[in-house]
Amino acid sequence: MKRPAAFLLSLLIVAATALFGAPAGAQENPSPEPARLRLDLGQLTPRVISSADQAITVAGTVTNTGSRRIVKPMARLQIGERLASPRAMDSVLAGTPVQDTPLTEFTTLAEDLEPGQSARLNITVPLTGPRGAGLRPGVYPLLVNVNGTPEYGGPARLAAVSLLMPVLSTPGHANNQSTQRHSKLAVLWPITDSTPHVQSAPFGVPMTLTDDSLADQLSPGGRLYSLVSAARAAQETNPKIGGSLCFALDPDLLRTVDAMKNGYRVSGGATGKGADAASNWLAALRALVTGRCVIPLPFADADLTTLGKIRGADGNPDAGLMTTALNGTATIRQVLGVESKSGVLWPGGTPDDKALSAISSGGFQTVLTDSGKLRAGGDDETVTGAATLSDGLRAQPTNSMATAGLTGFTPSPQAPTTYSGASQRAVSTQNGLAAVAFEAGLGRTEGTTGGPLLIAPPRRWDATTDELNAFLSGLGKLTTAGVTAGSTLDDLLGTAPEGSASLAADTRSDGGAAVAGQLSGLDQDATGLVSAMQVDQRNQVEPKAVVGPVRDALVRGSSTAFGPSAVASASANATAELAAIRDQVTVEQPKQTFALASGSSPLPVYVHNDLPVGVTAQIVLRNNMGVRPEQAGKNLLFPAKGGQTKYVQIEALRAGRLSVDVSLTTPSGTDLGATARFELTSTEYGPITIIVTVVAGCALLLLASRRIYRRIKESRGGTP
């Protein structure tokens, strides 16, 4: 569009606006176009409104992420009606826009924003007067609304962030307090890795990590550091809230950090920088959890449904992997010196019947699971209290609404300008806090009593120290006001189950089969390696110890941190661990060409075995045209920690330059080491060459004899 035409179109839009009124609908309804502005909230004060609060302050930044200049970006804070039903709460947490009214007029943030430019947003709403007087105890939806006019376009809502605000009492009216519910409250505090970081950790060799981001997480300001420091602060400043925390620990993370203390490397060969951070963090974690509630997660937060589908060499599920996944109590004891709560597990995903049976066989009596996954008997009705599963396990539900608030929603394609709490840390912690208040009964109908609440944040919770402190401080305010009552996981588990229930079916299309199929092949390779190994009398190392890192990697491959389609990422660790073992038993690449002394000669093959165990293998010749091994498939033993020359009898089938690829394989067919290329020369004729030569000579003699005969006959005047 030419600039004069665009200018004329803009004038027509302005004229229509003047004739028919301001386009309120355009401002209040989400634009169908892609978001042109990004709104990042960094501050919200207060997190819970009480009679003593005099104002709400929202601060952040607005950034032009589009390709057009934005004219006069402006913002205001809007509020909706008090939420009275779980369905209404769920709708707001899912990102559905609500009918709201302005709390402020629009405030201009800048005259214009060029692409890539940002402007500060700072809105303060006084709660004195009629604005505050209209607030009653309950939970209200708020909307930070940013409007503007894109170049060549009309006024529209360009960005919005929706969040929830609990109100304990009407500002300025101390007598209008919320009804005290004293709902029992306990909080799971997940200490997990964001994703498994181990690339390889071969037996007797320093660990290698995929990158050094775990060191950053353990250092001040990092995700794991913040989780520990915020919980420690809560224990010191608010014992009721600090005492309600139960720490869910990932045994794989503990082992990885413990190994980092002694030095490690990162992919590419660089030395890791996080040894001191690992040591300090472990000491802080040990002080935090000593004498407190501790429960294990499955090793590497494995998806037990996927893990149960990994099949070994015999075609049956590999039960040993499930044992590794469920043995976290021993790791926690070894690394931290504390005892986990007996018989309680918080598995990720949705365990199927086989996984639940394995959990029960592993000595657990209770599984913690999202209440949204529990169904009463065969009905679709959700369960809010403890229930008994079909295999006798107790299912203790965690509050699904609070988890949804702390996790955030995926924005709808119909509302691309509305940002999710999943990408706004201040919003997700605020919405989680509001969900706790609502589920505890804040603002609900008189006579309703909020039941016990077990709060489960996202398993890989990524919130800043300030946000974690704000969440725990908000829980403290709810407890002080009598909305909740600090409790413990033990207290919640002390109540009898209300009835029977079942877990909803796994929503993944393949139920983890693709990942399990990839890991099954690697499991069978590992089994092939173990079967080829023998204990060396000098080193006294068991083969299972050498292959143990591979089996740990198989469990990591089923981690819930990997998406259902991330097959390559899930199998990368096990592939690297197998390669680290295979590469230690290999054929040495010869530096010279071998001259065969005769048609049938021995080929010297030098094999290195750097493993601490003996290995039985076969020498295999490939791409060997012109060469034939006289004896194939012979099992040879290569001693631990050494090299040995073996002679392979071969037969040259022709003279000249020859080449052959030499490699090793276990008796079960698992490849070892790299392939070496042998260059050969032969001056001897093999039997086939001789036979061909003799046949050719005989044919030549016959042809020559025939020709002589014809000539003699012609010379005597005969007819040819």
Side-chain angles (χ1 to χ4, degrees), residues 204-575:
V205 178
M207 176 180 64
T208 298
L209 300 184
T210 55
D211 53 48
D212 220 3
S213 60
L214 184 53
D216 296 330
Q217 294 188 42
L218 299 171
S219 302
R223 187 183 71 87
L224 291 169
Y225 183 95
S226 297
L227 285 166
V228 171
S229 61
R232 186 65 172 172
Q235 288 179 351
E236 295 172 352
T237 60
N238 195 330
K240 287 185 178 179
I241 298 302
S244 70
L245 304 181
C246 187
F247 301 96
L249 307 181
D250 175 7
D252 183 42
L253 173 64
L254 298 183
R255 274 181 35 181
T256 302
V257 177
D258 193 48
M260 289 173 66
K261 295 189 310 180
N262 302 319
Y264 64 99
R265 306 190 74 80
V266 296
S267 180
T271 301
K273 64 182 181 182
D276 290 341
S279 181
N280 294 336
W281 183 83
L282 270 184
L285 179 63
R286 187 178 295 110
L288 174 69
V289 302
T290 298
R292 305 286 181 171
C293 174
V294 173
I295 61 171
L297 296 172
F299 184 87
D301 198 19
D303 185 311
L304 301 181
T305 298
T306 298
L307 197 63
K309 295 178 180 178
I310 299 176
R311 298 186 177 276
D314 59 359
N316 295 318
D318 191 336
L321 298 179
M322 193 70 75
T323 300
T324 298
L326 298 177
N327 195 31
T329 299
T331 302
I332 294 172
R333 182 189 307 116
Q334 177 185 353
V335 176
L336 296 178
V338 299
E339 291 294 333
S340 306
K341 181 169 178 52
S342 176
V344 180
L345 184 72
W346 183 22
T350 306
D352 61 7
D353 290 341
K354 291 182 180 179
L356 291 174
S357 178
I359 292 171
S360 179
S361 300
F364 295 95
Q365 296 86 42
T366 299
V367 291
L368 311 179
T369 187
D370 192 300
S371 60
K373 297 179 180 179
L374 285 174
R375 299 290 182 268
D379 301 331
D380 290 334
E381 205 176 305
T382 58
V383 177
T384 57
T388 302
L389 300 176
S390 58
D391 55 4
L393 283 171
R394 173 193 176 102
Q396 185 69 36
T398 61
N399 188 270
S400 60
M401 184 183 291
T403 300
L406 290 168
T407 302
F409 62 89
T410 301
S412 166
Q414 285 73 40
T417 58
T418 302
Y419 281 86
S420 161
S423 61
Q424 299 271 335
R425 295 172 176 175
V427 175
S428 60
T429 51
Q430 178 64 22
N431 286 352
L433 179 62
V436 172
F438 184 86
E439 290 285 72
L442 181 63
R444 304 284 285 277
T445 305
E446 197 69 33
T448 60
T449 303
L453 299 176
L454 179 58
I455 307 304
R459 302 171 80 82
R460 279 158 284 280
W461 203 3
D462 186 12
T464 63
T465 303
D466 289 343
E467 286 303 315
L468 294 172
N469 288 336
F471 176 73
L472 292 172
S473 177
L475 292 182
K477 289 184 178 180
L478 295 180
T479 300
T480 301
V483 176
T484 58
S487 188
T488 64
L489 180 60
D490 278 339
D491 195 11
L492 299 188
L493 296 179
T495 59
E498 298 176 357
S500 62
S502 60
L503 284 173
D506 195 329
T507 57
R508 294 175 298 178
S509 59
D510 69 345
V515 171
Q518 180 79 7
L519 296 177
S520 293
L522 298 173
D523 189 18
Q524 291 158 22
D525 287 346
T527 302
L529 286 175
V530 171
S531 65
M533 295 178 179
Q534 298 181 17
V535 176
D536 182 80
Q537 295 302 318
R538 296 168 299 168
N539 298 294
Q540 291 295 313
V541 175
E542 290 290 336
K544 288 184 178 180
V546 177
V547 183
V550 181
R551 298 185 62 76
D552 290 344
L554 292 170
V555 179
R556 289 190 191 101
S558 69
S559 174
T560 59
F562 298 119
S565 60
V567 178
S569 300
S571 61
N573 181 203
T575 301

Side-chain angles (χ1 to χ4, degrees), residues 635-650:
N635 292 335
L636 303 170
L637 176 62
F638 297 98
K641 294 293 184 181
Q644 195 174 67
T645 300
K646 298 291 185 181
Y647 292 92
V648 180
Q649 200 71 23
I650 61 173

